Amino acid sequence: GGSPCQSFSMVGKRRGFDDTRGTLFYEFARVVKESQPNVFIFENVRAFLNTTCTDIDGTEKTIEEAIKINLGGHYNILFKVVNFKDYGSQSSRTRTLVIGVRKDLQNISPFDIFPEKQKTKTLRQLFAGLENINEMGKISETDIFHSFREYDAKMVRWIENLEEGQSAFQNTEKDRIPHQIKDGK
């Protein structure tokens, strides 16, 4: 399970349970409690477990505490913050994983099903074999997920002279360093 993260994300408005998407967590916990699957996996943003909720007993507690109280009696539970790029994902995405294994299952724990770390791939490795696309808005004819998305034209000066491995923040010319203009500054 993975309820929509907008309710808990540091990027969003963080309306938590005031946003109906945030309450889907309760439905997931209810389904797990009722159906008693052998294993459950829940995924959400880093801050998810520390978010305060009103539990089914009417008291305020963190989501982590609510999970432990409501599911911990029947499950061995692992709470772990990971970056998916360390486990084979093609992008850097820090997430919270909650893995529960029913306590009556012999010789298995959440650690047994947790994936092995993998060496993070470089951009060169990720892009190897992809066709060269140099036109903004163009989509590959053989891979719809490979495209040159449009971006603000002011960004061209930030990146046009970079060498492989450099960041735009390493530019020495002030007008080539990424910035925002606020109040004319």
Side-chain angles (χ1 to χ4, degrees):
S3 58
C5 65
Q6 293 90 336
S7 304
F8 309 106
S9 174
M10 299 299 281
V11 176
K13 295 180 181 175
R14 296 196 67 184
R15 295 185 318 191
F17 298 103
D18 293 334
D19 180 342
T20 56
R21 294 172 297 187
T23 63
L24 289 175
F25 156 73
Y26 291 122
E27 283 303 303
F28 177 79
R30 182 188 61 76
V31 168
V32 168
K33 196 170 189 173
E34 287 178 10
S35 64
Q36 295 287 305
N38 290 341
V39 174
F40 73 83
I41 299 174
F42 196 82
E43 170 269 335
N44 213 298
V45 296
R46 176 191 299 253
F48 176 71
L49 293 177
N50 296 322
T51 302
T52 301
C53 68
T54 303
D55 199 6
I56 56 174
D57 65 3
T59 63
E60 296 281 316
K61 55 185 68 118
T62 66
I63 290 176
E64 181 174 2
E65 291 171 319
I67 291 171
K68 286 177 181 175
I69 290 168
N70 291 295
L71 300 175
H74 299 284
Y75 288 90
N76 293 314
I77 303 173
L78 170 65
F79 300 90
K80 194 163 177 94
V81 175
V82 300
N83 191 324
F84 281 178
K85 74 180 175 78
D86 297 327
Y87 297 90
S89 174
Q90 306 302 336
S91 64
S92 180
R93 191 164 177 85
T94 303
R95 308 297 279 180
T96 296
L97 286 181
V98 180
I99 301 174
V101 175
R102 262 195 4 226
K103 288 184 175 182
D104 64 330
L105 298 176
Q106 300 297 312
N107 303 317
I108 186 168
S109 81
F111 292 98
D112 296 325
I113 62 173
F114 197 81
E116 294 286 327
K117 273 194 169 187
Q118 299 177 16
K119 186 175 181 186
T120 304
K121 295 179 180 175
T122 65
L123 281 176
R124 180 177 292 283
Q125 291 169 322
L126 293 173
F127 294 163
L130 293 176
E131 73 180 272
N132 194 1
I133 300 178
N134 292 317
E135 181 184 334
M136 277 197 247
K138 184 171 186 317
I139 299 172
S140 169
E141 292 179 18
T142 59
D143 181 354
I144 63 169
F145 298 110
H146 178 48
S147 64
F148 190 143
R149 74 173 180 91
E150 293 192 40
Y151 55 87
D152 194 323
K154 72 180 178 189
M155 295 172 67
V156 172
R157 291 201 37 81
W158 302 348
I159 63 174
E160 67 185 348
N161 295 328
L162 295 179
E163 297 293 328
E164 184 176 329
Q166 286 185 316
S167 162
F169 292 101
Q170 293 172 299
N171 281 320
T172 55
E173 297 173 50
K174 196 172 191 173
D175 66 331
R176 291 189 181 273
I177 299 172
H179 62 282
Q180 292 181 348
I181 297 173
K182 291 185 179 182
D183 300 323
K185 297 182 181 178

